[in-house]
Amino acid sequence: MAKAVKKQALGRGLSALLKDPDNDIRSVEDANADKVVGNIIELDIESIEINPFQPRTHFNEETLHELATSIRELGVIQPITVRKMGFDTYQLISGERRLRASKLAGLTHIPAFIRIANDNDSLMMALVENIQRHDLDPIEIALSYQRLIDEIQLTQEQMSDRVGKKRSTIANYLRLLKLDPIIQTGIRDGFISMGHGRAIIGIEDHEAQSAIYHKIIGQNLSVRDTEALVKSYQDGLKPKAQTSEKKAGFVLHETHKNTLTDFFEATVDVSVSANGKGKIVIPFRSEADFKRILARLQSE
């Protein structure tokens, strides 16, 4: 299989098209663009710059060297994807591990798919392809989802269509970003699991989060143990307020807030008074965001 990919990528005629400054291909309307865009072409590794939108921030050196050994023996089986920036210059969209390992293996050229896209498209492709294809840790995935919301203005439903994940799954990842940064680092480094993190999210106070985090590590608590510890902590909070809510026949749980937050894709605030009355506050960032929330209400 490696031979077949190499044979495709070794089309020197296609590579030569990109070496002619008088006929540089900069858009899909240019002559010969159809021969380049979407095809596998061998590129000089030195002409490829790292994508600043790459969500992965650290790489395991041991696995990189293992991949480099495989590349020496079999070649680059899956081409990288790049965006053409200028004459004989490219920016990586996806495949940074393969690019790094190819450099370690001593390769001077690498097979690549070439795309012509604007920065917005590049960011979209980089984040979506990495979420789908790479073993990112849960926090890196959550940050990628958040960037799709902040920089591409995607809703959770649109992200669900793009990455093939349920909206509830996306919401669970995004909630991890509410954790104390130390706990986020603990998830990234593998000290605790995403399940532990999801259990701790029920606690808003970061100092309390941190105390429970250290108990998890110190006592090697399971996710179920952590959930029980969090429940015990929450049951001990504001006993008077909880008593008055019970008298009113209604107990406000964090899950109620989370359900509304997921539905409106906004951080919903809910409060209940002693007589059982309360209010729901739904924030919005813009007129478009307000119309999106209004459409969600009218659709139900």
Side-chain angles (χ1 to χ4, degrees):
M1 185 166 61
K3 266 186 189 175
V5 173
K6 284 184 180 180
K7 188 174 181 181
Q8 280 184 303
L10 288 172
R12 291 298 180 182
L14 292 179
S15 297
L17 285 174
L18 303 170
K19 296 291 186 179
D20 181 2
D22 295 327
N23 294 286
D24 190 25
I25 300 169
R26 300 186 62 87
S27 73
V28 291
E29 287 80 22
D30 292 341
N32 295 316
D34 59 322
K35 297 178 182 178
V36 172
V37 178
N39 286 310
I40 301 173
I41 301 175
E42 278 212 345
L43 295 180
D44 184 337
I45 283 183
E46 296 303 318
S47 69
I48 303 169
E49 65 180 34
I50 299 300
N51 188 345
F53 299 132
Q54 165 66 270
R56 185 183 293 277
T57 54
H58 62 276
F59 296 83
N60 184 290
E61 289 296 324
E62 183 179 348
T63 58
L64 272 180
H65 281 281
E66 289 175 356
L67 181 56
T69 299
S70 172
I71 286 173
R72 287 191 195 100
E73 296 177 357
L74 303 173
V76 180
I77 295 175
Q78 183 183 2
I80 63 172
T81 303
V82 300
R83 177 169 68 99
K84 196 171 187 302
M85 300 292 291
F87 177 67
D88 201 29
T89 57
Y90 307 89
Q91 185 182 83
L92 190 70
I93 292 176
S94 66
E96 186 168 350
R97 285 187 73 251
R98 278 163 279 157
L99 182 62
R100 287 173 177 261
S102 295
K103 290 180 179 180
L104 287 174
L107 271 61
T108 58
H109 291 75
I110 188 170
F113 289 111
I114 297 178
R115 291 182 177 174
I116 298 175
N118 59 32
D119 285 341
N120 218 37
D121 291 337
S122 179
L123 174 59
M124 171 81 78
M125 288 185 286
L127 296 176
V128 171
E129 289 197 31
N130 275 281
I131 289 170
Q132 290 175 329
R133 298 186 179 185
H134 293 290
D135 186 23
L136 297 177
D137 66 62
I139 299 301
E140 285 176 314
I141 292 174
L143 289 170
S144 296
Y145 285 140
Q146 191 62 53
R147 291 193 72 181
L148 285 169
I149 291 174
D150 294 340
E151 299 182 43
I152 306 297
Q153 303 298 309
L154 288 186
T155 65
Q156 290 184 19
E157 288 180 350
Q158 290 171 327
M159 280 195 289
S160 177
D161 293 335
R162 295 275 184 172
V163 303
K165 300 288 185 183
K166 292 182 179 178
R167 192 164 63 87
S168 59
T169 300
I170 294 171
N172 284 333
Y173 277 105
L174 289 170
R175 284 199 200 103
L176 296 177
L177 300 180
K178 297 179 182 179
L179 292 168
D180 184 274
I182 292 176
I183 301 175
Q184 292 186 38
T185 300
I187 294 176
R188 299 190 70 167
D189 292 340
F191 292 120
I192 64 172
S193 69
M194 180 177 174
H196 288 103
R198 288 180 60 188
I200 301 173
I201 290 171
I203 298 174
E204 295 183 1
D205 182 82
H206 277 203
E207 288 187 8
Q209 285 184 4
S210 182
I212 288 179
Y213 168 69
H214 286 99
K215 281 187 178 180
I216 294 170
I217 295 180
Q219 301 175 24
N220 194 27
L221 299 181
S222 67
V223 173
R224 183 168 293 184
D225 292 335
T226 303
E227 290 171 344
L229 185 61
V230 169
K231 185 178 185 304
S232 175
Y233 170 84
Q234 290 174 325
D235 289 344
L237 287 177
K238 301 179 181 178
K240 291 182 180 179
Q242 288 189 2
T243 300
S244 63
E245 287 176 358
K246 287 178 180 176
K247 285 181 180 178
F250 176 66
V251 179
L252 178 64
H253 292 292
E254 189 68 24
T255 52
H256 296 140
K257 292 183 181 180
N258 288 340
T259 298
L260 290 169
T261 293
D262 288 350
F263 180 77
F264 290 108
E265 299 179 18
T267 306
V268 177
D269 183 56
V270 185
S271 60
V272 181
S273 63
N275 62 8
K277 296 180 180 180
K279 63 180 180 180
I280 299 173
V281 179
I282 309 170
F284 56 89
R285 296 172 296 184
S286 62
E287 181 181 356
D289 197 31
F290 173 78
K291 290 180 178 178
R292 177 188 63 77
I293 293 171
L294 186 62
R296 176 60 57 80
L297 284 169
Q298 293 173 337
S299 68
E300 294 298 316

